[in-house]
Amino acid sequence: MANWRHFKSVSLGLLIRAASFTVIFALLGMVVQMMVVAAPIFAASTLERIDSPEGVRGALVSRAESQDADLTQSTYWVSKDGWQLQGSPGNPWLWVHDQTAVPLNVRELPSDFSIAQMVGHQRGLAVLVGNTLEHFHFSQSTSINNVPAVERVKTVLVGSDIVALAGHPRLAVVAFATSSSEIQVVDFRNPNASLRIQVDVEIDTIVWVSPSLIRALTPSGDALLFVFRATDIGGDWRRLLSPIEYEGYPSEEYLWLPLPSAQRAEPKYSVVPLIFGTLKAALLALLFSAPLSLGCAIYVGCFMSEAQRQRVRPAIDMLTAFPTVVLGAIGLFWLAPRFGEFLSALIGVIALFPILAILGVFVVRGLGWRWVRHDALDDWPLRLLPLVLLVIAVGAAAGLSGAARLPGGSLEAYLLSSGVSISHFNSLLVGIVLGLAITPTIFSIAEEAIHAVPRNLAAGALALGSTPWQGYRDVVLPLALPGMIAAIMVGFGRAAGETMILVMLSGNTGIMDLSIFEGLRSVSASLALELPEAPKTSSHYQVLFVMGLLLFGLTFIVNTVAEIIRARVRMRVRGL
Amino acid sequence: MIGLSASMVSTVLLIGSGLFILLVASAGDWLFLSSEPFEAGFLDRLNDVFFAKPNVENGLTGLFPAIVGTLSLVMVMTLFVAPLGVATAIYLSEYARDTWYTKLIRISITNLAGVPAIIYGIFGLGFFVYGLGGQVDALFYADRLPSPTFGTPGLLWAALTLALVNLPVVIVAVTEGLDAVPNDLREASIALGATKSETVFKAVMPAALPSVFSGLILATARAAGEVSPLLLVGAVKFSPSLPLSSRAPFIEFEQKFMHLGFQLFDAVLFARLPPGGLGWVACIALILVLLIGVLNVTAVSLRAAVLKRQTVENPF
């Protein structure tokens, strides 16, 4: 009998251990799995030779293909509007339109070149002049008469002994062969890391068979195959974080355009605009949420009896019964269409609320009404409801009538006349709704911190003759301050990771604009919107996982710091 | 200043009830008063809103599949969360020795509870859908490839992802409940000759049971309102059949499903809503809020019951 009981105990213990280890490993393994998915984006580009299948000779077809694309012979590039580019060594380059047939000189391109090749979806041209390789980019619309504009993007120093050159079909990458039998690949996005392989035969032609396969041909017609692997950021992690001078853009910029609308443009993966948007939304949310939730926390934590506190805390937690998707819908359907009026009213309320509330309480108590008394602090929030309703109504009315008196008749018209236009999806609305969503979180943690401070400290202050407010302000709140800061940090983390409100209200425009009337795009919204569409081995997918890890790291670190602060406060308060 | 902070509490209460009244008013106005887009009487209208075939183009009819989808998702999720979460909490609180790595795991799990749900969503897509789902397909459904069976977002993966989102919440809540059980109880039980598992399951767990349930219900409420991972791992705008079947195990794990929150998201952002769309949106939102509200109230009253019982019955 005893054995059976012990057997049961041991096996149940094993079962519990097994289950909990599964959970712990799943939760911790999650991070590892995400890292594994994200890691290949940082891989350096590679070039390696593979054995060509037996009997594959350089077929005449491929030689013809390469001749066709070789600009040293006859040369053309067809742009959208029917323009063709012609050039041969020693002569000036010409744009020829297929209908008007009027040649236009292209002065931007050097005439003293030896080889020229298209690169990257015919977006640009790689031109070899002496021992330098120059990368030019064609852009469609920046010039008069729709002549494609030509601009130099980058110049890379290479050897002068180049015999064959081929442009990558998708990326700004060229492969070339030298007379000393070396195959080289230069990535114009990251030109310092050129890849080279020495072979033992003479090469005279080189072709890209596919975006990852290079075929080099010897004069006798033998084919050599090379595999080139590169991510969309070319093995340079700085392209995620630093400003980049992209093809077709006049200056260095931060851009998040993973799926450019022009199909042949290069994808742009700067995560900076998204992080900027995330921080902007979270900080705006804190701006609205922190005063409100800390005010509530101070009242509930300091002045309420235990029984009443157990009733009010769940009541405020009820705000969490509004899932963020519902808050987003309310913001989009009820607030955004009349945002001007809402904002005017809100400004009125925020400006007048403190004065009117203090004054109102003063008047109510001065009138001698017995239902707002210092010895019945518990019931104040409920008894003040009508007063607060009145205060809010007065504030909103004042805000609206103030806005009507502005030149132009409304807040939007006034802002527009001073050069600020409110876009339908704007950061301010995101901040307000997001602030509402994180209020219960901040309230709950801050209230716990305040409540943990022993009340007899305040009682001591009261006994020495301070008013209740003085007692709590000068004795309790300083002790609870770190806990309140921790609450704000947790709220910040919650706001940074919130997704639905941002997807629905932020407009998802990846612009970096400090104006609170412009939209934004956050990391979380990008993950939700783009990940289902991204192919699972693409660079886009991997960059999104990198951003997921960044967001994870941000919230995890913020939460950890907040947790450490809370633990220390708990220790300190326990000693009192 | 006391007056000011008291009025802030009132303000928050007002905002909460104001939002609720807004939803009720808009939904009620559309259902009871406006004649668009239905001509028929009120009962027919309710029938249309809930039980008619969902209108893929512009909504307004057929909430029933979304409600069923939400409930089955939450149920399947609870099947995973309840045993695993409670077992982990028991391990951390009763079995694990108090070492630095136990502390580390505890702190990590507390912090994981604050990690945004979308992160779990991308893990769910990368690991469950593409990884595990692809494996399952290759092993058991090879004849149906290349069209995926489990290698695509579906109910099972959505439930597992939501389970991961909520596991830390449940673990923290249950661990706190177990920690609150006085040590004397354990010592008394062991002194009477009970084994470890008898102590845990017959002495400690009954005392902590209400907090276990309240933690579980809170997690369920949170899961019902969490939409962002579902954008990645399974909810769809329209699914021709319910994720239920008449044969065991009665739930079609690989099916895509409709979800109230996703319906709301889609109705607000993408559907071309006809007149009356506002009322429709309010209806979906209201049902979702009521569902979560009921779960929350249950959890809160359970917790209140715990407090009362502990103060009365705790002999220590």
Side-chain angles (χ1 to χ4, degrees):
Chain A
M1 204 54 206
N3 280 341
W4 167 241
R5 278 174 57 210
H6 279 284
F7 174 72
K8 212 165 85 179
S9 177
V10 168
S11 48
L12 270 173
L14 281 177
L15 204 65
I16 281 183
R17 284 193 176 85
S20 57
F21 288 164
T22 316
V23 170
I24 292 166
F25 279 119
L27 288 174
L28 303 183
M30 198 179 92
V31 188
V32 179
Q33 192 268 349
M34 280 165 58
M35 283 178 181
V36 169
V37 173
I41 191 71
F42 298 111
S45 310
T46 57
L47 179 68
E48 60 179 314
R49 184 174 170 183
I50 56 170
D51 294 332
S52 40
E54 280 297 311
V56 172
R57 308 264 298 166
L60 283 172
V61 186
S62 62
R63 191 169 288 266
E65 268 170 19
S66 70
Q67 295 292 328
D68 211 28
D70 187 358
L71 293 185
T72 51
Q73 306 296 316
S74 76
T75 154
Y76 65 92
W77 175 67
V78 186
S79 86
K80 240 187 217 159
D81 306 316
W83 288 94
Q84 294 183 338
L85 185 67
Q86 292 186 352
S88 52
N91 300 319
W93 290 79
L94 294 177
W95 281 120
V96 183
H97 197 273
D98 57 1
Q99 282 170 358
T100 56
V102 182
L104 289 168
N105 273 349
V106 189
R107 292 196 194 81
E108 293 87 349
L109 293 174
S111 60
D112 53 341
F113 69 103
S114 49
I115 311 179
Q117 282 280 4
M118 294 296 168
V119 288
H121 257 321
Q122 304 192 330
R123 291 195 305 267
L125 193 67
V127 181
L128 183 69
V129 182
N131 61 355
T132 59
L133 197 56
E134 300 183 15
H135 179 209
F136 293 90
H137 175 258
F138 308 121
S139 47
Q140 303 287 342
S141 53
T142 50
S143 55
I144 42 168
N145 297 336
N146 285 329
V147 186
V150 179
E151 63 198 39
R152 180 184 281 122
V153 184
K154 207 153 250 174
T155 305
V156 183
L157 205 63
V158 291
S160 56
D161 54 348
I162 292 176
V163 291
L165 184 81
H168 192 280
R170 202 164 66 80
L171 305 169
V173 169
V174 290
F176 53 84
T178 63
S179 56
S180 55
S181 298
E182 199 178 45
I183 304 290
Q184 276 194 39
V185 173
V186 168
D187 192 333
F188 284 118
R189 300 168 304 173
N190 186 11
N192 298 328
S194 80
L195 304 164
R196 46 189 74 197
I197 283 185
Q198 186 72 41
V199 291
D200 45 9
V201 282
E202 190 189 344
I203 302 290
D204 72 341
T205 312
I206 190 163
V207 204
W208 288 88
V209 184
S210 77
S212 58
L213 195 62
I214 303 169
R215 176 155 55 194
L217 298 175
T218 61
S220 62
D222 287 326
L224 278 63
L225 290 178
F226 301 89
V227 174
F228 170 70
R229 288 196 189 86
T231 61
D232 281 0
I233 62 168
D236 185 1
W237 59 269
R238 277 172 302 231
R239 286 182 81 83
L240 295 178
L241 293 175
S242 326
I244 302 288
E245 190 176 349
Y246 292 106
E247 297 168 7
Y249 285 82
S251 58
E252 294 194 331
E253 280 182 69
Y254 297 104
L255 289 171
W256 173 260
L257 288 170
L259 303 164
S261 51
Q263 212 191 342
R264 288 177 167 177
E266 60 178 330
K268 304 169 185 69
Y269 293 114
S270 176
V271 301
V272 177
L274 304 183
I275 293 174
F276 176 86
T278 299
L279 294 182
K280 184 175 163 188
L283 290 177
L284 275 172
L286 280 188
L287 200 66
F288 284 97
S289 180
L292 188 63
S293 44
L294 290 185
C296 289
I298 288 172
Y299 190 81
V300 177
C302 291
F303 302 117
M304 278 196 163
S305 68
E306 187 59 33
Q308 189 71 359
R309 180 174 165 261
Q310 292 300 340
R311 278 197 282 275
V312 170
R313 271 180 64 98
I316 293 181
D317 271 346
M318 273 299 144
L319 264 185
T320 53
F322 290 92
T324 52
V325 65
V326 169
L327 290 179
I330 290 174
L332 195 61
F333 263 56
W334 280 273
L335 297 186
R338 45 190 85 88
F339 185 67
E341 290 91 353
F342 173 67
L343 189 59
S344 329
L346 187 71
I347 291 174
V349 172
I350 291 177
L352 294 182
F353 190 85
I355 303 167
L356 285 184
I358 292 173
L359 214 66
V361 173
F362 190 72
V363 169
V364 167
R365 300 192 52 212
L367 287 175
W369 291 358
R370 295 174 52 91
W371 42 278
V372 183
R373 295 193 322 224
H374 259 141
D375 53 351
L377 281 168
D378 266 2
D379 295 339
W380 275 31
L382 275 181
R383 294 189 171 176
L384 286 178
L385 270 183
L387 177 73
V388 172
L389 207 57
L390 186 73
V391 167
I392 290 178
V394 169
L400 283 173
S401 69
R405 273 178 212 160
L406 287 172
S410 75
L411 191 65
E412 292 134 301
Y414 175 69
L415 283 175
L416 200 61
S417 70
S418 52
V420 182
S421 69
I422 303 182
S423 65
H424 184 69
F425 296 104
N426 62 73
S427 314
L428 197 56
L429 182 59
V430 172
I432 293 169
V433 178
L434 199 54
L436 204 56
I438 61 173
T439 295
T441 310
I442 302 185
F443 165 77
S444 169
I445 298 175
E447 199 272 338
E448 252 167 38
I450 294 169
H451 188 76
V453 179
R455 295 222 171 174
N456 47 16
L457 292 179
L462 289 183
L464 290 173
S466 71
T467 65
W469 174 246
Q470 283 172 337
Y472 280 99
R473 184 193 59 198
D474 296 336
V475 180
V476 175
L477 292 188
L479 281 168
L481 190 66
M484 288 155 82
I485 291 172
I488 289 182
M489 289 172 69
V490 173
F492 174 82
R494 191 58 57 88
E498 175 44 45
T499 309
M500 293 318 289
I501 289 175
L502 282 138
V503 168
M504 293 164 94
L505 293 179
S506 69
N508 298 311
T509 43
I511 47 175
M512 286 174 61
D513 193 332
L514 279 174
S515 161
I516 53 174
F517 296 114
E518 287 297 333
L520 54 88
R521 187 181 187 95
S522 78
V523 172
S524 54
S526 282
L527 291 175
L529 293 175
E530 292 167 24
L531 207 60
E533 314 293 331
K536 62 181 164 187
T537 48
S538 63
S539 296
H540 186 194
Y541 186 79
Q542 291 158 1
V543 173
L544 285 172
F545 266 77
V546 172
M547 289 203 309
L549 278 171
L550 279 180
L551 189 59
F552 178 88
L554 177 78
T555 48
F556 198 83
I557 289 170
V558 166
N559 284 342
T560 308
V561 172
E563 186 63 35
I564 291 171
I565 293 177
R566 285 172 66 190
R568 288 182 58 169
V569 171
R570 251 177 261 139
M571 292 284 284
R572 211 175 122 192
V573 164
R574 198 174 294 157
L576 289 173
Chain B
M1 286 312 277
I2 298 179
L4 181 61
S5 57
S7 11
M8 280 181 170
V9 179
S10 324
T11 311
V12 171
L13 297 178
L14 272 179
I15 292 175
S17 40
L19 290 179
F20 188 69
I21 291 171
L22 178 75
L23 290 181
V24 172
S26 310
D29 175 52
W30 179 60
L31 280 176
F32 298 113
L33 301 177
S34 85
S35 58
E36 298 174 74
F38 314 110
E39 297 300 327
F42 159 67
L43 277 180
D44 285 345
R45 203 180 284 184
L46 268 190
N47 189 38
D48 271 359
V49 167
F50 284 99
F51 299 113
K53 191 171 175 301
N55 185 338
V56 188
E57 274 298 302
N58 43 25
L60 299 197
T61 55
L63 264 183
F64 184 64
I67 297 177
V68 172
T70 311
L71 289 179
S72 38
L73 174 72
V74 168
M75 260 170 47
V76 177
M77 183 215 77
T78 315
L79 285 185
F80 289 115
V81 164
L84 289 177
V86 173
T88 311
I90 290 178
Y91 172 74
L92 286 177
S93 173
E94 306 294 321
Y95 283 85
R97 280 186 213 96
D98 201 14
T99 54
W100 64 269
Y101 54 83
T102 323
K103 276 198 193 103
L104 192 71
I105 289 176
R106 274 191 173 213
I107 291 177
S108 306
I109 289 182
T110 312
N111 290 340
L112 278 174
V115 164
I118 186 75
I119 304 290
Y120 294 92
I122 71 172
F123 169 73
L125 184 74
F127 183 71
F128 291 136
V129 177
Y130 290 153
L132 273 184
Q135 296 291 322
V136 171
D137 272 2
L139 284 176
F140 300 109
Y141 296 95
D143 49 325
R144 293 197 210 165
L145 285 174
S147 73
T149 310
F150 274 97
T152 176
L155 182 63
L156 178 66
W157 305 138
L160 274 175
T161 308
L162 274 188
L164 275 185
V165 174
N166 281 304
L167 266 173
V169 184
V170 172
I171 294 172
V172 169
V174 177
T175 315
E176 269 170 16
L178 288 172
D179 285 350
V181 175
N183 239 347
D184 315 11
L185 208 58
R186 298 184 183 89
E187 286 158 7
S189 164
I190 289 173
L192 288 172
T195 60
K196 179 81 181 171
S197 74
E198 281 164 353
T199 306
V200 169
F201 286 99
K202 295 194 174 142
V204 181
M205 275 302 275
L209 211 54
S211 66
V212 170
F213 275 112
S214 114
L216 274 177
I217 295 171
L218 276 186
T220 320
R222 211 184 118 168
E226 196 65 77
V227 184
S228 51
L230 300 184
L231 299 184
L232 302 178
V233 291
V236 286
K237 183 183 163 85
F238 175 70
S239 156
S241 57
L242 298 176
L244 305 175
S245 73
S246 52
R247 288 182 297 131
F250 306 112
I251 289 187
E252 308 252 332
F253 283 112
E254 81 285 1
Q255 267 220 13
K256 292 192 169 57
F257 58 96
M258 293 167 79
H259 185 273
L260 277 174
F262 189 81
Q263 288 289 306
L264 184 62
F265 164 74
D266 186 75
V268 168
L269 276 193
F270 300 115
R272 290 188 306 273
L273 286 177
L278 198 71
W280 166 249
V281 167
C283 256
I284 313 179
L286 191 62
I287 293 175
L288 196 55
V289 168
L290 284 178
L291 184 69
I292 297 170
V294 167
L295 288 170
N296 269 336
V297 169
T298 319
V300 167
S301 44
L302 255 177
R303 198 183 288 160
V306 181
L307 280 176
K308 208 176 253 172
R309 216 179 81 171
Q310 277 183 353
T311 46
V312 177
E313 287 180 17
N314 191 348
F316 305 107

